[in-house]
Amino acid sequence: MKLLSKALCLCMALMLTNAAPIDPEETGTAAEEHAQYDRCSGLEFDAITPDEKGKTFFFKDGRLWSGFDGPSQPVGDVFKELDKFDHVDAAFRMHKPDNLQDHDHIYFFLGDKVFSFYDHTLEEGYPKEIQEDFPGVPSNLDAAVECPKGECASNSVLFFKGNDVYVYDIETNVMKTKMWPNLPVCTSVLRWLEHHFCFHGHNFTKFSPVTGEVTGAYPKDARHYFMKCPNFGHGGNYTVPKCSEVTLDAVTSDDAGKTYAFRGPIYIRLDTHRDGIHAFPISRSWSEVAHGVDAVFSYNDKMYFIKGDQVYIYKSVAHYTLIEGYPKTLKEELGIEGPVNAAFACANENTAHIIQGNEMFDVDLSATPRVVTSKTPLPISDIEAGLCGPDGINVFKGSHYYHYNSPMELAMSKIMPRPLPIMSAMIGCQD
Ligand SMILES: *[C@@H]1O[C@H](CO)[C@@H](O)[C@H](O)[C@H]1NC(C)=O
Ligand SMILES: *[C@@H]1O[C@H](CO)[C@@H](O)[C@H](O)[C@H]1NC(C)=O
């Protein structure tokens, strides 16, 4: 889905930590290093890669930045064995889900050597000659990036040197050489949230990892998108809340497994752990409901947003588009009076379960016109959001959620299950 390519307003203000301010007392070399390695002044990076936890690292000379925010530190602080080198040529995170020996390892390239790290620890037997691990791949690379099956024909790594691109199939060890002269010479390449970005100077260009094609207005200045810099960025003062204080307005998961939580004017993609969890303004994908929603559910490639007594239905094709004729009233579309608190639909059913106060209305989505087929009292009142997934139903209330195995169990149960705290791993809130 081209959701992210649409308007890559990443609003990095959302990142989990705030920039550590430079200590004004700090003097001498440390302060000079800070000044020299200020990525907001417009640096060209040597390498960029996420780690196994989804944190993105940026490298320049012997320094690295951890995440999209904050100052640099020596590379050796995080990757100890690299501390004697003055730069890295390239780095990528391996995507090889059926070989856990290699999966999610970070590979660094220096001259003709390759280093493999997992959990920031050098693997035994490394460094090696690049030829040992990746026969045919040249020394002194410019950049490298993972390309999982689905985005490339098979699980692959793309290596860059000048205008040459080496597409290395990591299942078969077969390598193909391509020339993408239309792409700038990349000094680092990052795959982030299903897209590939070539970094050159302080700019970046999004490209197709299959054809090298560039579509859209590129290059763009990386400082607007991939780092939090004063006077850059696309506005938005969104901070990821504390888990103990979080409340959700709505949660939904579409047919492709893309999962979103909504809270005020922001949404958070919940299924992107490999690249970290990030928040974006709702306006970026669903401008008509930018100020917030009461309930959202997904059904048949469509997302239903409920706000007040209105329903907005979006079709998810390349990106989300509001279907002509919408919004309509809740009464007209689903046969109930708004406002509502929460809604969910399960993948294998034609039913929308809509929660209002302490009642759940089931609406038959296959009927025309749609009608309420049942109405049941619930053991919990004031549920704020609900999600049906393969493991059952989670209903959210304040900073807690309740788990049920099925809509039926939710409707029939007389006693409340134990409330469970919303965890950082679920929505990227701060513990
Ligand atoms: C960055 O991109 C802008 C266009 O967006 C261009 O004008 C500028 O020359 C580029 N700068 C570098 C250093 O590539
Ligand atoms: C962000 O917050 C600052 C200060 O709190 C305010 O001046 C600025 O207008 C806000 N920006 C946006 C886009 O809301």
Side-chain angles (χ1 to χ4, degrees):
M1 202 160 307
K2 293 294 179 318
L3 171 65
L4 292 157
S5 62
K6 184 63 180 158
L8 196 98
C9 164
L10 301 185
C11 298
M12 287 302 160
L14 325 160
M15 296 305 108
L16 301 176
T17 52
N18 282 318
I22 295 169
D23 182 353
E25 300 289 293
E26 191 179 43
T27 51
T29 52
E32 278 159 30
E33 297 239 291
H34 267 309
Q36 190 186 349
Y37 292 102
D38 173 9
R39 58 179 162 173
C40 291
S41 69
L43 292 182
E44 177 166 271
F45 297 103
D46 296 330
I48 307 175
T49 184
D51 72 359
E52 67 286 341
K53 296 195 180 73
K55 176 168 275 193
T56 304
F57 288 92
F58 296 76
F59 297 83
K60 173 71 176 177
D61 300 338
R63 314 280 300 176
L64 65 72
W65 290 259
S66 155
F68 300 98
D69 197 357
S72 69
Q73 65 190 107
V75 169
D77 284 4
V78 182
F79 301 99
K80 190 166 151 283
E81 289 79 5
L82 298 181
D83 70 350
K84 50 183 169 297
F85 303 101
D86 61 4
H87 79 286
V88 298
D89 294 337
F92 76 94
R93 180 181 60 185
M94 177 66 88
H95 182 71
K96 207 172 180 181
D98 43 13
N99 181 344
L100 296 180
Q101 288 290 94
D102 297 336
H103 183 56
D104 273 355
H105 286 215
I106 304 183
Y107 287 75
F108 289 99
F109 297 82
L110 286 86
D112 58 2
K113 296 283 191 298
V114 55
F115 293 69
S116 167
F117 282 84
Y118 186 74
D119 200 15
H120 304 179
T121 305
L122 186 67
E123 286 295 292
E124 225 181 289
Y126 286 88
K128 287 184 186 173
E129 301 287 319
I130 294 177
Q131 296 311 314
E132 261 185 80
D133 267 6
F134 303 100
V137 171
S139 305
N140 306 315
L141 289 164
D142 289 330
V145 71
E146 65 178 308
C147 187
K149 187 173 177 174
E151 294 166 29
C152 284
S154 57
N155 285 323
S156 307
V157 183
L158 273 50
F159 294 98
F160 296 76
K161 185 169 177 172
N163 284 120
D164 294 335
V165 183
Y166 303 86
V167 182
Y168 193 95
D169 181 325
I170 54 176
E171 314 290 348
T172 61
N173 297 328
V174 170
M175 192 176 79
K176 291 199 185 106
T177 308
K178 302 198 179 183
M179 281 272 288
W180 290 342
N182 61 316
L183 196 64
V185 171
C186 314
T187 62
S188 51
V189 177
L190 172 68
R191 173 185 177 270
W192 196 72
L193 298 178
E194 300 147 7
H195 293 289
H196 287 80
F197 302 97
C198 160
F199 286 73
H200 45 99
H202 56 73
N203 285 339
F204 69 96
T205 295
K206 183 160 74 72
F207 66 97
S208 154
V210 176
T211 61
E213 246 174 294
V214 175
T215 36
Y218 291 96
K220 292 185 176 165
D221 193 316
R223 290 171 290 181
H224 283 297
Y225 300 89
F226 288 96
M227 50 213 73
K228 187 176 169 185
C229 294
N231 307 320
F232 285 91
H234 287 207
N237 285 343
Y238 309 120
T239 47
V240 175
K242 285 203 173 71
C243 292
S244 58
E245 293 169 2
V246 74
T247 56
L248 298 177
D249 296 333
V251 195
T252 194
S253 185
D254 73 8
D255 294 349
K258 293 186 160 68
T259 308
Y260 304 91
F262 298 86
R263 176 187 151 87
I266 70 165
Y267 76 88
I268 307 170
R269 260 295 282 282
L270 303 184
D271 58 310
T272 54
H273 300 263
R274 280 193 96 229
D275 298 337
I277 290 181
H278 304 276
F280 303 94
I282 293 176
S283 58
R284 196 163 151 248
S285 299
W286 304 279
S287 60
E288 294 82 359
V289 289
H291 300 297
V293 296
D294 295 335
V296 182
F297 67 90
S298 302
Y299 176 67
N300 270 358
D301 281 332
K302 296 190 188 75
M303 277 169 78
Y304 290 64
F305 288 74
I306 305 175
K307 172 75 179 171
D309 66 350
Q310 303 284 304
V311 184
Y312 297 74
I313 306 183
Y314 288 83
K315 184 141 186 63
S316 43
V317 224
H319 47 86
Y320 295 97
T321 33
L322 185 64
I323 292 178
E324 215 185 306
Y326 286 87
K328 288 186 181 168
T329 65
L330 202 47
K331 183 81 194 156
E332 187 183 356
E333 183 66 31
L334 297 173
I336 59 174
E337 299 282 354
V340 304
N341 298 97
F344 61 90
C346 298
N348 51 356
E349 296 181 349
N350 293 313
T351 305
H353 304 277
I354 297 180
I355 297 172
Q356 189 173 56
N358 61 349
E359 288 182 313
M360 181 163 78
F361 296 81
D362 286 355
V363 176
D364 183 350
L365 296 171
S366 61
T368 318
R370 286 159 170 177
V371 285
V372 173
T373 52
S374 72
K375 183 172 132 179
T376 33
L378 293 178
I380 309 170
S381 60
D382 304 317
I383 287 167
E384 287 157 347
L387 179 69
C388 181
D391 306 331
I393 317 285
N394 288 335
V395 292
F396 298 83
K397 179 173 172 173
S399 57
H400 287 81
Y401 72 98
Y402 301 85
H403 181 80
Y404 294 90
N405 293 312
S406 66
M408 173 106 109
E409 191 182 294
L410 168 62
M412 303 304 280
S413 65
K414 296 277 181 290
I415 39 165
M416 272 166 68
R418 199 161 51 87
L420 302 163
I422 293 179
M423 307 292 279
S424 174
M426 296 172 76
I427 70 144
C429 49
Q430 302 183 68
D431 279 325

